[in-house]
Amino acid sequence: MIGVIGSGSWATALVKILLEDPERTLNWWVRDEGLQRSLQEEGINSKHLSDVRLDASRIHVTCSLSEVVESSSDLFIVTPSAFVGDTLSMLPASAYEGKNMISAVKGAVLGKGLPMTVFLEKELNVDPCRICVVSGPSHAEEVALNLPTFLAVASQNEGLAEEVASMLRCDYLRACVTTDMEGVEYTAIMKNIYAIAVGICRGLNYGDNLCAVLTAAAVKEIGRVLDATFPLAGRDITDYCYLGDLMVTCWSQHSRNRALGLAVSRGDDPQSVFARMGSIAEGYFSAKIVHDHNASKREMIETPILESVYRVLYDGANPREEFGHLINRVL
């Protein structure tokens, strides 16, 4: 049995994908009791992707995390990174023993500064061979419309990755398999930071030309970080599980991180932006986590775009001055 943990737009989209198999039933954990009733009775997430109607007869929706974990062998974790650590820690580590843990979280665990896979292994004692990452250019809004989507499923256990990929494949979704779990996961964390940078540049009216150069430079930055932190011979940073995810987050109208950058460039406070959006932008937290993680390797890894985003978000730097310096001295 498959269990899904989380109730946002991406969690709802994943449930939709999984239910494309007409024989499949799911367990689904949500935090809000009102949402639980709406999903169980009508198959509608009233807060996210409300136009999507799910087959409620094949979903068991509950606010009991222990119930979902106990009765599921495969657990898709789709909680925002800001809350995922607290959510999973509601149960003892022993509750996850023998479970396949599939992370669709595109951010590091807040408060721990750890990628989800490391958190699962180190904090919850999950066997690394039972950990998997799902990533790729995949806005939930397009999944809701059955638009063609490509995902990457990554695990050091190639058999598990193929099993998970098979669960996801349907008429409108393709899924490839890779063993570069660290590279895929860390790219998913970092690309949100660069989407904020693009949003700031758009808000400052720098135009498409500059944003294209900025995105190209971001690819190089991600490559430098991966080579220094998770070296892997033969990694192709232009593959869609790396470059594709970056591109869609930087350029899409659906990108919350890009929207955050736009708002910040105009003087808005990030917390007020989150309240207005009704959701968070993962890149806000990722900027600090990756900045702090890279601190000991600052001389080895050049990440000027990341540093500019960090200074705007956390040091109160003026966006126009900071990005003017970035353009004139770095790009």
Side-chain angles (χ1 to χ4, degrees):
M1 177 70 84
I2 296 171
V4 176
I5 299 173
S7 58
S9 57
W10 185 217
T12 305
L14 273 176
V15 169
K16 177 184 183 297
I17 292 166
L18 292 165
L19 288 177
E20 295 295 346
D21 180 344
E23 303 299 319
R24 181 173 287 141
T25 58
L26 301 175
N27 296 315
W28 192 358
W29 177 82
V30 302
R31 188 183 300 273
D32 182 82
E33 291 183 357
L35 180 58
Q36 184 267 336
R37 287 192 295 272
S38 172
L39 285 166
Q40 193 65 83
E41 295 171 6
E42 304 175 38
I44 295 174
N45 186 332
S46 56
K47 296 184 177 180
H48 303 278
L49 300 188
S50 57
D51 290 338
V52 173
R53 184 175 291 275
L54 305 165
D55 185 351
S57 68
R58 294 192 286 131
I59 315 170
H60 172 59
V61 189
T62 177
C63 294
S64 170
L65 181 62
S66 61
E67 185 178 351
V68 169
V69 172
E70 288 172 9
S71 57
S72 305
S73 56
D74 300 291
L75 292 168
F76 281 82
I77 308 162
V78 210
T79 304
S81 62
F83 314 117
V84 68
D86 290 341
T87 296
L88 295 180
S89 296
M90 290 192 298
L91 300 180
S94 58
Y96 304 103
E97 185 176 354
K99 309 291 183 180
N100 292 325
M101 305 291 280
I102 305 147
S103 171
V105 178
K106 295 186 177 182
V109 179
L110 187 64
K112 299 288 184 178
L114 299 173
M116 264 299 297
T117 57
V118 178
F119 175 79
L120 291 172
E121 180 181 352
K122 302 299 183 184
E123 300 287 324
L124 298 183
N125 302 321
V126 177
D127 183 343
C129 290
R130 289 188 173 276
I131 298 175
C132 194
V133 170
V134 173
S135 190
S138 50
H139 281 306
E141 294 83 357
E142 295 192 359
V143 171
L145 297 172
N146 291 5
L147 295 178
T149 299
F150 291 76
L151 292 176
V153 182
S155 176
Q156 68 179 48
N157 180 349
E158 196 166 359
L160 174 62
E162 181 55 47
E163 179 184 334
V164 173
S166 296
M167 296 177 191
L168 298 170
R169 292 180 182 126
C170 62
D171 288 345
Y172 55 85
L173 192 141
R174 303 290 182 268
C176 74
V177 168
T178 176
T179 56
D180 185 18
M181 185 168 66
E182 292 86 358
V184 168
E185 180 177 42
Y186 217 70
T187 298
I189 294 171
M190 293 190 68
K191 53 95 176 178
N192 293 320
I193 303 168
Y194 299 108
I196 294 175
V198 169
I200 291 173
C201 287
R202 295 299 302 171
L204 296 173
N205 296 315
Y206 281 135
D208 291 343
N209 295 338
L210 186 279
C211 289
V213 173
L214 182 73
T215 307
V219 177
K220 293 183 178 180
E221 279 199 18
I222 292 174
R224 288 195 292 269
V225 172
L226 293 186
D227 288 345
T229 312
F230 308 106
L232 179 68
R235 178 188 286 127
D236 184 359
I237 196 67
T238 66
D239 199 351
Y240 76 75
C241 59
Y242 312 104
L243 180 58
D245 210 4
L246 172 70
M247 294 291 288
V248 76
T249 309
C250 286
W251 290 87
S252 174
Q253 62 179 331
H254 301 305
S255 172
R256 290 189 295 269
N257 292 283
R258 185 174 181 270
L260 174 62
L262 278 165
V264 167
S265 74
R266 297 164 182 166
D268 288 359
D269 175 76
Q271 300 305 322
S272 67
V273 178
F274 298 158
R276 187 166 64 245
M277 291 193 301
S279 58
I280 64 170
E282 303 275 12
Y284 175 76
F285 305 103
S286 296
K288 177 169 176 50
I289 289 169
V290 177
H291 170 272
D292 293 348
H293 181 264
N294 289 351
S296 62
K297 301 180 180 180
R298 193 76 67 222
E299 295 180 0
M300 297 170 52
I301 312 175
E302 295 182 12
T303 54
I305 304 172
L306 163 65
E307 296 306 315
S308 287
V309 172
Y310 176 85
R311 283 191 286 268
V312 169
L313 294 179
Y314 290 95
D315 292 343
N318 179 280
R320 186 169 294 280
E321 292 178 3
E322 182 64 43
F323 275 72
H325 172 78
L326 180 69
I327 293 167
N328 292 325
R329 301 289 180 86
V330 179
L331 295 182

